[in-house]
Amino acid sequence: MSISLCLLAGCSTGPADTNDRAKAPSSAARATATPRIHLNAADGQSDVSVRRGGRVTVEAGRITKVSLVTANGRVVRGKLSPDKKTWAPDAALDHGTAHRLTVVAAHDDGREDTKRIAFTTLAETDRFTGTFTPDNGATVGVGMPVSFTFDKAITDKKAVESAIEVSSSSKQPVVGHWFGAQRLDFRPQNYWKAHSTVTVRIGLDGVKGAEGAYGEQSRTIRFTVGRSQVSTVDASAHRMTVVRDGRTVKTVPITAGAKNSPTWNGRMVISEKLISTRMNGATVGFAGEYDIPDVPHAMRLSTSGTFIHGNYWGADSVFGRSNISHGCVGLNDARGGGDPGQDGAWFYDHSLVGDVVVVKNSDDKTIAPDNGLNGWNMPWNQWRAGSAR
């Protein structure tokens, strides 16, 4: 009876049986003992990143052998990490090149795992690139958006937008907005907080933006927002009021667009600063009307050619009294910008790319949000509706 009870209860038959079970590795332990090799490509893949392709990572083991060879037999050199957990090529792989990768990894108990794959890196013609502003390390005004322009039309906007993260030390929520298929801007609801830091993490490497268009960029940039400066141009009063950190620091007499060529209304962002430049009407639809060399202290407000700049050819009497320009905002200045005492020189020296210039009481309509970096002219709900996330 006692034997039957023991069998029914699943009892041990003695100490020797207990020890045997303790020594035998479980199936989970055996699985853990086998090294796990992770690659950044699949066998047969033809659009592998030139920066991530060929990289190897091993869990529960160490790398004992890596062979990466191109189809024509060229050996790709690489480095093994001190802990033998990762291996990476010394440089980015060549575009549009076939490779064979063999990896062997071992566990401490001698168990090995081997993986062999063949892959081809992304062709030069199958990649897309985004140029962006502002630059890494820049100090900008409170109106500066983060703006990307892609060299190919993007059809999977969600994938591309999701691969770019913009955050601020001010904790302001930031939202992207697409202007067509090749431009993506990011901004908060209101201007950036002064003296904040904005971080842009670009994770486009390997992201498919469209058929035959894969990203390669992978980097982080940071820029600083300077003091707050918003200057308001009253076109009818011929005056500009400069407000810095909430305090009016200067009122400047100006000349704006004449009756037949008025200045845009709206909030415009300085996107470029030129100490001196030539302005030719032929480039902005006013062929034969003007061609002025050495225009001083020119700061771009729109893609279509609106600037706020120094003016040396107008009589002193026009500033603060009449509008004579072809759409730009003019400040009294000297040719070439050599006189620091002029209003144009002062405003140039006290302005940052990203500062806001607001024009009001002009006879023209409000500038389009995508004409320059001027998305602030779009209501927030409309801005958010243009996000693909």
Side-chain angles (χ1 to χ4, degrees):
M1 178 62 68
S2 61
I3 294 176
S4 299
L5 287 173
C6 188
L7 289 172
L8 289 171
C11 299
S12 169
T13 57
D17 181 62
T18 301
N19 290 339
D20 288 343
R21 287 206 308 272
K23 290 178 180 178
S26 66
S27 59
R30 286 193 299 271
T32 302
T34 303
R36 295 189 293 279
I37 300 173
H38 302 283
L39 309 178
N40 283 304
D43 190 32
Q45 188 176 345
S46 60
D47 53 14
V48 175
S49 165
V50 296
R51 290 172 176 80
R52 292 184 295 111
R55 293 177 177 267
V56 181
T57 303
V58 169
E59 291 183 66
R62 65 189 185 282
I63 298 170
T64 58
K65 178 184 177 182
V66 176
S67 172
L68 182 58
V69 184
T70 63
N72 63 8
R74 182 175 62 84
V75 175
V76 178
R77 305 294 179 185
K79 288 185 176 63
L80 186 63
S81 63
D83 62 1
K84 299 182 180 180
K85 296 287 187 182
T86 61
W87 185 93
D90 290 338
L93 304 178
D94 293 336
H95 285 94
T97 303
H99 295 77
R100 297 190 305 275
L101 175 62
T102 301
V103 182
V104 181
H107 192 268
D108 291 339
D109 65 2
R111 296 175 184 272
E112 285 190 342
D113 188 16
T114 301
K115 279 193 176 181
R116 295 181 180 87
I117 63 170
F119 65 86
T120 302
T121 49
L122 185 69
E124 286 266 11
T125 54
D126 287 341
R127 60 177 177 162
F128 74 86
T129 300
T131 56
F132 54 84
T133 189
D135 293 333
N136 186 42
T139 298
V140 301
V142 296
M144 189 69 188
V146 177
S147 182
F148 284 81
T149 300
F150 302 104
D151 60 357
K152 288 186 178 180
I154 302 301
T155 56
D156 194 341
K157 294 179 178 179
K158 182 176 182 180
V160 171
E161 184 179 339
S162 298
I164 302 171
E165 178 188 345
V166 183
S167 60
S168 172
S169 61
S170 64
K171 308 302 182 184
Q172 293 170 268
V174 182
V175 176
H177 181 95
W178 287 88
F179 293 108
Q182 292 182 248
R183 177 174 165 186
L184 171 62
D185 285 11
F186 293 86
R187 70 168 178 88
Q189 181 173 3
N190 300 307
Y191 301 141
W192 300 108
K193 299 294 184 183
H195 310 296
S196 58
T197 299
V198 180
T199 301
V200 184
R201 293 181 174 86
I202 307 170
L204 290 170
D205 192 11
V207 173
K208 185 177 181 180
E211 195 63 37
Y214 293 82
E216 288 189 337
Q217 293 163 291
S218 180
R219 62 177 300 190
T220 297
I221 66 169
R222 291 182 177 84
F223 62 89
T224 301
V225 179
R227 79 290 175 271
S228 170
Q229 181 167 298
V230 178
S231 302
T232 300
V233 173
D234 188 328
S236 64
H238 319 296
R239 290 285 186 277
M240 178 173 69
T241 304
V242 182
V243 176
R244 187 178 304 144
D245 293 327
R247 184 174 67 89
T248 299
V249 295
K250 196 174 183 68
T251 300
V252 183
I254 60 94
T255 181
K259 184 176 181 179
N260 294 331
S261 53
T263 306
W264 298 109
N265 285 294
R267 295 188 283 177
M268 292 173 253
V269 173
I270 296 173
S271 60
E272 180 183 19
K273 293 180 67 179
L274 303 169
I275 190 67
S276 181
T277 190
R278 176 182 178 180
M279 291 189 172
N280 189 331
T283 63
V284 289
F286 292 106
E289 296 193 30
Y290 64 88
D291 186 2
I292 306 171
D294 305 321
V295 177
H297 302 122
M299 291 171 280
R300 181 181 290 276
L301 300 178
S302 78
T303 306
S304 61
T306 308
F307 282 79
I308 183 166
H309 60 76
N311 179 320
Y312 65 82
W313 54 95
D316 289 348
S317 59
V318 304
F319 299 98
R321 294 180 179 86
S322 59
N323 293 328
I324 64 168
S325 85
H326 286 79
C328 292
V329 177
L331 289 71
N332 207 351
D333 211 336
R335 181 169 181 168
D339 184 354
Q342 297 291 330
D343 287 337
W346 182 91
F347 189 65
Y348 184 93
D349 290 342
H350 291 82
S351 295
L352 296 171
V353 168
D355 280 349
V356 181
V357 177
V358 182
V359 178
K360 65 179 185 179
N361 297 327
S362 177
D363 291 334
D364 209 341
K365 60 185 178 181
T366 299
I367 193 168
D370 60 345
N371 187 0
L373 303 176
N374 300 323
W376 302 105
N377 295 288
M378 182 180 290
W380 183 239
N381 60 344
Q382 187 178 345
W383 182 272
R384 292 178 62 189
S387 169
R389 289 188 181 180

